[in-house]
Amino acid sequence: MLSRMFKATILGHNPVKEKLISDLHKAGILEIVEIEKEAEKEAGFNDSDTLQAKLQRISKLIEDLNYSANFLNPFKPKKAKKTRSYTDENYQTITRSFKYNILEKIKKFNQQMQQHENRIDYCYNMISLLSPWQKVKVEFDQMNFEHVNTFFGIMNKKKLSSFQKEIERVNLSSFNIIHSTRDNVYFFLMYAKQIEETINEMMKAFPLTAMDFSFVRGTIYKTMTSFKDEIRDLETHIEDIKEQLKEYAEYFDDILICVDYWGMVFQREEIKRKFYATQSTFLLKGWIQEKDIDRLKGLNKKYRETDISFSLPEPGEVPPVALKNNPVFSPFEMVTKLFGVPGTDDVDPTPLLAPFFALFFGICLTDAGYGLVLLILSALLLFKLRKTKGEGTVKLMKVLIISGLFTIIVGAITGGWFGIDFDKLPKAFRAIKEFRDRLVLLEPLKNPLVLFITTLALGAVQVLTGIIIKLFLYVKDKRYYEAFSSPFAWFLIVSGIISAMLLKIKLLWVFPVAGACIILVFTSRQGNILVRLLKGAYSLYGITSIFGDILSYSRLFALALSTGVIALVINVVVGILYQMIVKIPYVGVPMAVIFGIFIVVFGHLFNIVINSLGGFIHTTRLQFVEYFGKFYEGSGSEFRPFKREYKYIKIQ
């Protein structure tokens, strides 16, 4: 259901503003809304420029903290603290005593490391470039000849013979191959300066890569050695920096604490933009749930300089929406929010989808053993993550726990227990088989048609439920004509057709005929009778869409069969491999047991994970498209109270 919302208005003197903001932030019960600021600007009380500058400074500090945390992450102690809880006093002491000057030092270390690493990459590139030319023994810084030019280049081997012929035609030149690979030739050409133009014209006809060795000092070998020495020196410097960073990494946890602290400071400062302020007073407005009004009143009693009032939404105002459900249904609010929260005049679909969601998920797995594993794993994750993760993660784990319970029930009814073929079990397990058989009502692999019809029947029930809810909403809004001409008529048609076909009672066809007549005549109020009848006939075509929606529920049948078949195949494969491996002398039995256990555990876990994911996606899709499409829009704005948001820490 939807929580009732009230608008709270707080007027106070500026001296208590900071403390009040901090208390509201800690309480997390008020969604503060922005107040029109035109009068404030005209009065000259706008301090947005000063506030903007402060927000920019805080944002820059948070950026530096995150930068340092990301850089120090590889160097943090192996037993670094994970997310943990602190008291207000404790974490504020840490943030006040933190040495913020180390952030600049860490940044300089990072810059130095990047410079060294870039230089190392350059040195390796130069070594790779020079490596084919190592046979050249000349001193490059002494190759400045008065009458002779030199050229170092690379050419494709396919052009080599043609190039050599051209060179041979020219006197006063010398051509030498230094190195060759499968595709290229590295060569050295020396020629007299007086034929420079002739050589240049000739080389234009060939695809050559000219080498520039102006950076070489001495021989190629000496230059390569120099680069290698430089690499060793730079790597030593990097290791020295890393050792120093290990000392700074002791501050890693404190940096994360500061990230969260300054993030909350940023929130408190940014929220001031929504206030109306004068030189001595401030005014704020916000939405609050009815159940939290007494908490806000109690908080406000701490301040003599403030006044608070509450009011219902005015005509035209659209308050945010907060969902309020009992502990069984509340976890499924995360499914509703994936689609969108209801509008203020909508119905909360959470209690209406929860039973269907859990049941359909259970049908997708159809294995009691898988349901038990899913329940246990989800419960363990919930216990581990409940204090460190957000509300969404906790609710997801609870949804999986409830869905796991339904999976156990559906699996017991359909006889699925880790894909075990109970008919092939030894007589020693007869008691287990008899217990399992007492619970079985339907075996999908033996009677797939019954399961198929069951899934379609459940689909029809949910589609009809959606139509009934739409009918209720129309009646609630006193839109009796729309209720009669649309959902009521469609309910008669769908339920009438299904009942007439199942019960084979001809008289029941009266209901779908009556529903069709209602749609044909009453769908449109405008135009002459012919136009209204044509529009009604066009609306009747929607029957294909409704029965198409019901047919979509056959995906539950497909997923149920696939889960059971894969589980059975895993067990069969294990049995075959066991019979093959056990025949190996001496080590056959232990190897067969080890391989068997590995395949069973890994195979069934993979089947659980992949089909749980598929079950969740397809079940959610059925709710959003086939079910919500009948009555729900999800057009509301979610209630987002001003509250502390943590990434790394929890404040007790």
Side-chain angles (χ1 to χ4, degrees), residues 176-219:
N176 296 279
I177 295 177
I178 306 300
H179 180 72
S180 64
T181 63
R182 186 181 66 177
D183 300 319
N184 297 318
V185 173
Y186 298 74
F187 67 90
F188 167 62
L189 177 64
M190 181 178 288
Y191 57 90
K193 287 186 177 181
Q194 63 193 66
I195 63 170
E196 182 175 358
E197 291 185 7
T198 303
I199 294 293
N200 288 341
E201 287 298 322
M202 181 195 69
M203 288 196 296
K204 286 180 181 179
F206 295 90
L208 303 173
T209 301
M211 300 300 298
D212 179 13
F213 291 132
S214 59
F215 63 89
V216 176
R217 296 293 176 265
T219 64

Side-chain angles (χ1 to χ4, degrees), residues 494-510:
V494 176
S495 62
I497 290 175
I498 294 173
S499 300
M501 292 178 66
L502 291 177
L503 301 176
K504 297 181 180 181
I505 300 175
K506 293 182 179 180
L507 186 62
L508 293 176
W509 286 101
V510 171

